[in-house]
Amino acid sequence: MAERSTAAPERESRTAEGDGARRPPLRPGGYDPADYAACVVRGAAEAGVSPQLVMTVLHNEAYKPHHPLLERLWQWWKPQASFGVANMHRATFEQVRRAHGLRERWQDLRDDPAFAIRAAALHLQDLDRSLPRRHVRRYTRDELLALGYNAGERNMRAFARGVPPGPMARSYLRRFRAHRDRAAEALPD
């Protein structure tokens, strides 16, 4: 009698493109954005944004399990839920898709971490283009871009003019600042 393997099949743990980006684990607490450092570096380079910014955003968005099955279940309960390791909402994705000619669909974000990271980096690039070169000094450019990722472009521009962020945006900013060093450590030199 042949012995059954308990290891997950390779196709289960890799993305469809075979780029080596593992799908997030099913068990909560097993997800670490640092596992996607190579995808972050590639996505950030393509978009012309800081890899540390992208990795820090991934750390900020790591508050929920990102396994595709769990995201499908979550969408059943909450149809407008965000998808992928970067938690992108459908409306935001559709803007990025149109602006950059992406052929993938929003649903692909949950199954392909490398694509989700690429889409997030492209969105950060778009936010960077819309952010005025001069802004209030209390925020770095990366902090404003992260706030834009979380609260939207219009709010980001308001924060850049000096409008104080609300409680949710302040919380996001606190976590962003707390994760900066950890994100930098996860990236290659």
Side-chain angles (χ1 to χ4, degrees), residues 6-180:
T6 58
E10 186 65 17
R11 64 182 162 67
E12 180 69 24
S13 65
R14 301 284 178 189
T15 64
E17 295 178 6
D19 65 4
R22 296 176 60 79
R23 288 188 180 152
L26 187 57
R27 290 185 177 170
Y31 168 67
D32 185 358
D35 294 341
Y36 301 97
C39 296
V40 166
V41 170
R42 279 193 308 271
E46 176 187 346
V49 296
S50 159
Q52 188 175 5
L53 167 63
V54 177
M55 181 62 81
T56 309
V57 166
L58 288 186
H59 275 84
N60 262 30
E61 300 295 341
Y63 61 88
K64 72 176 193 182
H66 290 294
H67 189 277
L69 173 64
L70 297 174
E71 288 193 341
R72 282 178 173 81
L73 291 171
W74 186 252
Q75 186 189 28
W76 179 76
W77 182 69
K78 187 177 178 186
Q80 297 305 314
S82 57
F83 278 160
V85 296
N87 280 337
M88 188 172 281
H89 288 279
R90 183 178 216 143
T92 301
F93 174 76
E94 291 301 330
Q95 288 176 336
V96 171
R97 186 183 62 75
R98 283 189 303 276
H100 297 278
L102 303 177
R103 26 173 247 274
E104 294 88 350
R105 301 168 306 138
W106 174 61
Q107 294 87 340
D108 296 332
L109 295 173
R110 64 185 173 211
D111 296 312
D112 188 347
F115 174 60
I117 292 166
R118 178 176 176 235
L122 291 171
H123 180 48
L124 289 164
Q125 175 192 53
D126 295 342
L127 290 170
D128 190 44
R129 286 183 183 143
S130 71
L131 185 62
R133 290 290 154 208
R134 296 180 56 129
H135 54 80
V136 294
R137 297 173 105 180
R138 77 178 79 135
Y139 308 115
T140 67
R141 191 162 190 86
D142 279 359
E143 288 172 346
L144 286 167
L145 294 173
L147 284 168
Y149 191 89
N150 177 253
E153 179 184 341
R154 191 174 67 186
N155 287 324
M156 173 191 72
R157 292 173 65 81
F159 303 149
R161 289 191 312 271
V163 174
M168 290 179 71
R170 281 195 313 269
S171 173
Y172 194 87
L173 180 60
R174 273 193 304 277
R175 286 180 298 151
F176 182 84
R177 288 172 174 167
H179 289 303
R180 283 289 283 174

